[in-house]
Structures are given as C-alpha cells and as structure tokens.
Amino acid sequence: MGFLVEITDREFEKMQRLIYDQFGIKLTEQKKTLLVSRMQKLFRTRGINSFSEYYDYIVNDKSKAALTELVNYISTNHTFFYREHDHFDFFSQYALPEFIHKLQARRSKDLRIWSAGCSSGEEPYLLVMLMMEALGSEYHNWDAGILATDISMKVLEIAKRGIYEKERLDLLPDKYKKKYFIKLDENRYEVKPEVRKEVTFGKFNLMNDTYPFKKPFQMIFCRNVMIYFDEVTREKVVNRFCNVLEVDGYFFIGHSETIRRFNQFDYIKPALYRRKY
C-alpha cells in the first residue's frame, strides 16, 4: 500500500470526537494534516485503507491496545533536562525545604511528589536529583521517590531506560551531569541506577474520573500537558489535581498555560499555584 490515505471532513470529525472523549485532547482543524501524515506508517503495517476503517478498528478493540497505539502517534513529546528552570530553582530553594521542615514537625518522612505527564522522564529524574542534593546522606531515610505518569507507553519505555542524547543535558549544571549520570559515549548519557530506582513510572490517563491515590501529594508537576485541553476539560482536570494535593501544596504547570477561576488556588508566580483550602 504505497498510496497516501486521505481523511474526509466526516472522518476527521469522528476522530476529533474520539480523541477528545478518550484523552481530552482538542485536535484542531490545523492538526488534520499532522494526523494524516503520522498515521500512514501504521496504516501500511495494519493494512488499513481508510480512516473510517481505522475508527471501527479502534472502537471494536476491547483490549484498548489500539487506543494506546493512537495516543503514541498523536502525542508530541519534546522535552529536556532543566526545561523552564525557574520551577526547579523554586522547588529546591523554597518548596522542598518548606515541606521537609513541615514533615519533620509532623514526625513524618513521607515526601510525596507526582510528575503527571512525565514524557520521557527528564522532569522526575531531575526532581530526584534535587531531593538527593537537599537531603544528602539522609535521603535514604526518607520515603522520597517520585510517581511519574504519562498516557503514552512509548515515552514511558524511553523514560524507564534513562538514556539521553547529549543535547538533552545542555542546560543541566555540570555538577549534576558528573554526579548522577554515566557517560556512555560522546553523544549519550545514562541516569545512574540509584536515581532511576527512585522513580515509579506508570501509565495514567488524566481523563479518568477519579485519581485513586491513598494519600495526597505535597507537590504536583503537570507542565505543558493541559495546553492540549479545552477550558472545560482543563477545569475538570485541575479540580481532580486539587483533590489529591495537600492544603498548602504546590501545583506547577507549563509557562504557556494558565488556570483561571479556581478559588482553591493562590497564584504564587507565573505557572505556579498553591492550594489554599
């Protein structure tokens, strides 16, 4: 099958609705060409000749594997270490020391942080490194790992391997490169096993009606994920985050994102909020 499978307006509407209902991602008209180009390889592999045939294939797949495959194709996952670095500076200089002190006052060492939409793993790994820096030799006396989730199994597999091209580390201070990475060759670095084992990776869809965590988090990072959501979906997702965030806990979002009309949150600085009740 060497020809290009085109998409009709009706087929695109059906795909838009499916993607929105399942993942909360608003696929605009401008993304039509992107969808068509990204699906061609899959269509050739599966012997699929139209988007209508593909739609039926997805909705009739009881295992949901076809849905997982779809989100792997439509997700854009471009990130790097120390992206939007002021978040990490605030985390290490203010938020982390504050919660270490609060937990010590409660006689607790259960530091709970969620990296939601973790992509290829740079964010959660860096958060572990910063916690190791802050706690030093005491780190292993704390329950201080990171929960890192994403909807795409493809990026989660990359994240679990912990191997990155050199340019992904360009913004990272040299001391972290030397201390927490193994240089594999001129172009690749591997996150050390003692850092990797502190991150629990799992597949999770933010469109789930409930977030089934037994205890609340002190901090949630969900950066550059909600840009794909419309306002209604964003509001629902933020409310769910609020329900699993401690009072006074911090909520980090991407710099291109905003949340409005949420009385439960105080604005701290761009792309950073705090739950107030």
Side-chain angles (χ1 to χ4, degrees):
M1 193 171 95
F3 61 89
L4 183 73
V5 178
E6 300 286 359
I7 192 167
T8 67
D9 289 345
R10 175 74 186 125
E11 286 171 333
F12 186 60
E13 284 170 17
K14 286 170 74 176
M15 292 300 297
Q16 277 180 308
R17 174 51 56 188
L18 176 72
I19 289 164
Y20 180 75
D21 288 346
Q22 294 294 327
F23 310 119
I25 297 171
K26 191 82 171 173
L27 214 60
T28 62
E29 188 70 26
Q30 289 74 27
K31 299 285 185 185
K32 187 189 282 188
T33 306
L34 183 72
L35 177 67
V36 170
S37 65
R38 287 195 175 177
M39 301 318 298
Q40 298 305 311
K41 183 181 176 184
L42 177 68
F43 285 7
R44 286 194 296 274
T45 305
R46 292 270 184 271
I48 293 169
N49 295 292
S50 72
F51 273 89
S52 292
E53 188 182 329
Y54 180 53
Y55 179 87
D56 292 340
Y57 163 69
I58 293 171
V59 296
N60 291 321
D61 176 24
K62 300 291 187 284
S63 74
K64 305 284 188 186
L67 268 175
T68 299
E69 199 171 46
L70 171 62
V71 81
N72 286 341
Y73 274 91
I74 63 170
S75 301
T76 302
N77 302 100
H78 173 68
T79 188
F80 45 87
F81 283 94
Y82 225 48
R83 184 181 182 185
E84 299 181 347
H85 64 86
D86 53 330
H87 278 160
F88 297 107
D89 295 342
F90 184 89
F91 173 80
S92 57
Q93 292 167 22
Y94 300 101
L96 186 56
E98 176 188 326
F99 272 104
I100 288 171
H101 180 72
K102 281 183 176 179
L103 287 167
Q104 285 172 330
R106 292 183 215 163
R107 298 186 181 280
S108 169
K109 292 191 173 180
D110 189 12
L111 189 55
R112 295 175 57 79
I113 299 167
W114 180 16
S115 170
C118 66
S119 189
S120 42
E122 290 92 335
E123 177 182 276
Y125 285 137
L126 180 53
L127 292 172
V128 169
M129 294 171 202
L130 295 173
M131 287 193 287
M132 286 179 163
E133 288 293 303
L135 290 165
S137 60
E138 279 294 300
Y139 177 84
H140 294 290
N141 293 325
W142 286 71
D143 185 4
I146 299 278
L147 172 66
T149 65
D150 203 279
I151 199 171
S152 168
M153 285 305 299
K154 183 177 165 188
V155 295
L156 286 170
E157 289 306 319
I158 294 168
K160 287 174 188 174
R161 285 196 293 274
I163 296 172
Y164 299 96
E165 299 294 318
K166 179 176 176 288
E167 64 264 20
R168 297 284 187 104
L169 283 69
D170 280 350
L171 296 182
L172 199 61
D174 282 342
K175 68 174 182 176
Y176 297 129
K177 290 182 200 174
K178 290 172 184 168
K179 192 170 179 180
Y180 297 110
F181 290 85
I182 300 161
K183 187 175 181 180
L184 298 178
D185 53 43
E186 286 306 306
N187 292 311
R188 295 180 310 145
Y189 285 77
E190 181 181 11
V191 178
K192 285 188 174 179
E194 56 264 37
V195 176
R196 288 212 312 277
K197 73 182 179 63
E198 294 302 310
V199 182
T200 302
F201 288 105
K203 185 183 176 189
F204 188 79
N205 190 345
L206 296 176
M207 294 300 290
N208 290 353
D209 289 335
T210 56
Y211 294 178
F213 303 112
K214 291 179 181 175
K215 297 180 189 173
F217 298 93
Q218 287 100 23
M219 286 173 254
I220 297 174
F221 286 74
C222 184
R223 306 188 309 153
N224 305 300
V225 174
M226 294 186 291
I227 48 172
Y228 301 109
F229 299 163
D230 64 6
E231 197 162 333
V232 173
T233 305
R234 195 179 306 122
E235 190 170 323
K236 288 178 182 174
V237 169
V238 171
N239 276 321
R240 291 174 198 141
F241 279 132
C242 185
N243 291 337
V244 294
L245 184 65
E246 274 191 19
V247 173
D248 288 337
Y250 290 104
F251 181 42
F252 297 80
I253 64 175
H255 279 285
S256 57
E257 301 168 311
T258 55
I259 59 173
R260 298 185 182 90
R261 298 184 290 105
F262 287 100
N263 295 330
Q264 309 101 306
F265 286 101
D266 277 328
Y267 171 87
I268 304 298
K269 57 190 293 189
L272 176 58
Y273 298 82
R274 185 174 199 162
R275 182 177 173 182
K276 59 184 177 183
Y277 62 80

